[in-house]
Amino acid sequence: MIVFDDITWEGVTVLLTAKTKAISDSAHGDFLSWENKPTENVIPEQTQIEPMSSPSPDQLKNSTSTAHQTPPPKLGIEEYDSFVDSDLWDLPSKKLELVEGEWEPGSFVIEGIERTTLRKFDFDSAINKVLEQVGFTANDGGEWRFLKHLEEAGFGPGLPVHTVYISGKLLNRNQNLPELCKWMSIQSCLSWLVDVKPSSDRVGPLVVLGLINDSVHSSGKVDTALDYQEYPPGVIIVPMRSRTTKPFHTTNLVVFAPESVKNKCEDYNFVAHGDALIVDPGCRANFHKELLKVVAPLSKKLVVFVTHHHRDHVDGLSVIQKCNPNATLLAHKNSMRRIGKGDWSLNHISVSGGEDICIGGQRLNIILAPGHTDGHLALLHVDTHSLIVGDHCVGQGSALLDITSGGNMTDYFQSTYKFIDLAPHVLIPMHGRVNLWPKRMLCGYLKNRRSRELSILEAIENGAKTLIDIVANVYSEVDRSLWIPASSNVRLHVEHLAQQNKLPKNITYGDKILEKWREGLD
């Protein structure tokens, strides 16, 4: 982490825009970048792709050079490693470092950078390395210019990543790109993003946030002072402060508000129609004004979808109900009976999974996903194949299952495999960043849960007799303040092991043993 000129930098990304002489007056050129990615999105194994030849000047117009992104490390277990995410293409990336010692002007003169707080970063090394990645040298580029700086939305945990955009002229337009790089037009990037097929190649967020969102009129900007992210295009994510648990502080409000209505919904039997949709309005009371600013401009034909009933997902329902009495709430019946009348008392439809929603001609499929609670739902945006997973997954770590609301480990495993079979292009949790490697993340969850069960079995075999004994053994290196919430997951793991007949033979699993565990916890 770098603290510099009153700006805290957890990481800095630089996007390099380079235009050939032949298209120096056009709106877009070829794009290169480097960045500091979150840990779960960085990685080593590569798929071999034939090198692409240099495009003509006409082909270069409105084009971007993309690099094949390496997926996360394998988990080392064949069952999990057999699930592979589709290829992801994005701008080449490299972290931008702070200059050591006294700052001196670099060999790359970047117009406009002197008016920013970025002068002490090592642009020379970063530009050289990125040019090298795409097969060019420092002599192939020039006339560098600072374009813009973006701050990531406050997903947490930790501080937002900052992104700096720089443009220049690429002088050598006849050079081939190396392996694992290829030219893509803006239109082909868009078609990959908004009319996808399961398991097809994907385009990453740097292309979208750095290029496409500025190049096309992206759908439905929201009216809020809060930072938000639109990736994939049309999927707007606004992190809002909520009564969630550490290490997170926000719940992601997801907004769909297509500006142009398509006629794609005629052949389906939809449970609800609307012109706009919001998911999990769970912000704190002191953010209700910001929520109102988001909701008020939306169409009166508004659909509200909640993944489950927890307060950090429904605290804003009353604001929406007052603002738009015509809105329709969709939730599982088990969630509906736990949502108070003060939160929502008007139009609602109970759903159980398998239903479709039509929003401005775009189809979203409701998926029953119990585990976190017995009424937990997920939502698949069909056009972009983005999966909103509620609290089944979180941006960092793993979610606790709510034993008081029907949380169930067997259900959780089954829902995880269901998500893997869907092969989503991105996972959108309600806490934390979007995940670009869904199958890898989900398999990591499976591995972690099974590893936890092995630890529980070992603790029982070593003499643990109560729930708190098991928790103390399994979580011995974890802060004791977390033992109480962790005990809920441990008990559900024990129940799951009992259902599989995996508990030691000398352990009697019944009401008396459960009572002893409860007493040990108390």
Side-chain angles (χ1 to χ4, degrees):
M1 188 189 315
I2 302 167
V3 181
F4 176 57
D5 287 357
D6 297 324
I7 298 177
T8 303
W9 301 84
E10 185 182 53
V12 181
T13 301
V14 175
L15 168 67
L16 171 64
T17 311
K19 300 178 181 178
T20 67
K21 285 184 177 179
I23 60 166
S24 60
D25 295 328
S26 66
H28 310 289
D30 44 300
F31 284 70
L32 326 171
S33 80
W34 51 93
E35 71 165 342
N36 181 26
K37 285 275 194 180
T39 305
E40 63 263 32
N41 289 345
V42 187
I43 32 269
E45 182 193 2
Q46 298 179 342
T47 301
Q48 294 299 315
I49 297 173
E50 291 299 317
M52 306 291 291
S53 60
S54 287
S56 67
D58 286 341
Q59 290 172 321
L60 269 174
K61 187 174 292 186
N62 296 327
S63 295
T64 176
S65 61
T66 59
H68 182 265
Q69 303 298 294
T70 49
K74 290 187 174 183
L75 295 169
I77 299 175
E78 185 176 355
E79 176 192 353
Y80 305 138
D81 292 337
S82 64
F83 296 109
V84 180
D85 291 293
S86 61
D87 289 340
L88 178 67
W89 296 86
D90 208 345
L91 302 164
S93 58
K94 174 64 182 175
K95 183 179 178 182
L96 184 62
E97 303 285 357
L98 195 65
V99 173
E100 295 182 5
E102 288 294 320
W103 177 82
E104 296 180 1
S107 57
F108 291 98
V109 178
I110 303 171
E111 180 186 349
I113 206 72
E114 70 280 356
R115 297 189 297 272
T116 73
T117 57
L118 305 170
R119 292 177 299 129
K120 292 187 177 180
F121 288 98
D122 186 359
F123 285 92
D124 280 12
S125 295
I127 292 174
N128 276 316
K129 289 177 181 178
V130 170
L131 286 171
E132 183 180 348
Q133 287 179 32
V134 292
F136 300 118
T137 68
N139 294 328
D140 295 321
E143 298 184 30
W144 307 102
R145 182 169 61 89
F146 170 77
L147 289 181
K148 62 180 178 179
H149 159 237
L150 289 181
E151 180 178 351
E152 180 189 39
F155 294 112
L159 298 166
V161 174
H162 290 248
T163 307
V164 179
Y165 297 85
I166 298 172
S167 69
K169 288 184 178 179
L170 187 61
L171 305 178
N172 184 351
R173 59 187 175 89
N174 296 315
Q175 193 164 339
N176 290 341
L177 289 175
E179 291 186 40
L180 304 177
C181 293
K182 65 179 178 181
W183 298 102
M184 291 185 67
S185 69
I186 305 303
Q187 189 55 48
S188 63
C189 288
L190 275 171
S191 65
W192 281 17
L193 285 158
V194 300
D195 190 17
V196 305
K197 304 292 186 295
S199 301
S200 62
D201 282 10
R202 302 172 292 147
V203 174
L206 287 180
V207 171
V208 175
L209 302 177
L211 173 59
I212 289 178
N213 285 353
D214 287 342
S215 305
V216 298
H217 187 56
S218 59
S219 65
K221 300 299 184 184
V222 296
D223 181 14
T224 177
L226 301 175
D227 290 323
Y228 63 88
Q229 173 179 294
E230 185 177 355
Y231 176 80
V235 184
I236 298 172
I237 307 170
V238 189
M240 304 189 79
R241 286 274 176 171
S242 67
R243 292 193 284 173
T244 189
T245 56
K246 293 181 179 180
F248 298 100
H249 301 285
T250 61
T251 297
N252 291 332
L253 176 74
V254 183
V255 182
F256 295 90
E259 291 186 347
S260 58
V261 176
K262 305 175 183 177
N263 295 319
K264 282 188 175 182
C265 295
E266 296 175 354
D267 299 331
Y268 293 90
N269 182 21
F270 291 95
V271 69
H273 290 75
D275 295 330
L277 169 75
I278 60 174
V279 182
D280 282 7
C283 61
R284 288 179 176 271
N286 55 331
F287 279 81
H288 281 181
K289 287 185 178 180
E290 282 298 325
L291 177 60
L292 183 61
K293 288 170 60 178
V294 173
V295 174
L298 298 177
S299 168
K300 293 300 180 183
K301 294 181 179 179
L302 176 65
V303 177
V304 183
F305 181 89
V306 296
T307 60
H308 60 295
H309 70 283
H310 287 158
R311 297 307 313 178
D312 57 327
H313 297 257
V314 303
D315 267 345
L317 283 178
S318 60
V319 175
I320 298 166
Q321 183 171 249
K322 291 175 184 177
C323 173
N324 187 349
N326 297 316
T328 300
L329 174 65
L330 302 184
H332 191 277
K333 64 179 182 181
N334 291 342
S335 296
M336 283 302 310
R337 63 184 174 84
R338 296 174 179 132
I339 295 173
K341 295 294 184 182
D343 293 310
W344 197 273
S345 59
L346 299 177
N347 305 325
H348 70 271
I349 299 173
S350 292
V351 292
S352 57
E355 302 93 342
D356 287 303
I357 311 169
C358 180
I359 301 298
Q362 298 181 10
R363 184 164 67 94
L364 296 103
N365 180 244
I366 300 171
I367 299 162
L368 179 63
H372 182 66
T373 69
D374 56 12
H376 194 274
L377 299 171
L379 193 62
L380 179 71
H381 183 233
V382 175
D383 279 4
T384 62
H385 214 57
S386 305
L387 184 61
I388 300 170
V389 293
D391 277 358
H392 189 91
C393 304
V394 290
Q396 178 177 307
S398 59
L400 293 173
L401 310 190
D402 184 0
I403 198 170
T404 66
S405 299
N408 183 282
M409 196 61 67
T410 300
D411 289 343
Y412 186 89
F413 273 95
Q414 291 173 351
S415 294
T416 304
Y417 279 111
K418 184 187 296 185
F419 290 166
I420 292 172
D421 289 341
L422 287 171
H425 277 206
V426 296
L427 283 185
I428 302 175
M430 306 323 284
H431 307 287
R433 296 177 173 93
V434 168
N435 189 278
L436 303 177
W437 303 100
K439 290 184 180 179
R440 169 60 177 79
M441 183 184 200
L442 292 164
C443 287
Y445 270 55
L446 292 174
K447 180 183 179 182
N448 178 66
R449 298 290 186 191
R450 289 194 170 133
S451 174
R452 186 70 69 205
E453 291 190 347
L454 290 175
S455 299
I456 290 169
L457 284 174
E458 183 178 352
I460 293 173
E461 290 170 350
N462 288 337
K465 292 184 170 60
T466 67
L467 180 58
I468 201 64
D469 288 342
I470 298 173
V471 172
N473 186 295
V474 173
Y475 291 90
S476 59
E477 297 182 359
V478 176
D479 189 329
R480 285 173 175 259
S481 66
L482 300 176
W483 284 12
I484 297 297
S487 66
S488 174
N489 270 13
V490 169
R491 179 180 166 186
L492 292 173
H493 273 302
V494 172
E495 292 176 353
H496 183 236
L497 289 166
Q499 291 171 7
Q500 301 173 83
N501 296 317
K502 289 185 176 181
L503 288 177
K505 293 181 179 180
N506 61 338
I507 294 292
T508 302
Y509 185 80
D511 292 340
K512 291 183 179 179
I513 296 296
L514 283 177
E515 287 300 325
K516 286 183 179 180
W517 283 332
R518 293 190 190 102
E519 291 169 6
L521 179 59
D522 295 338

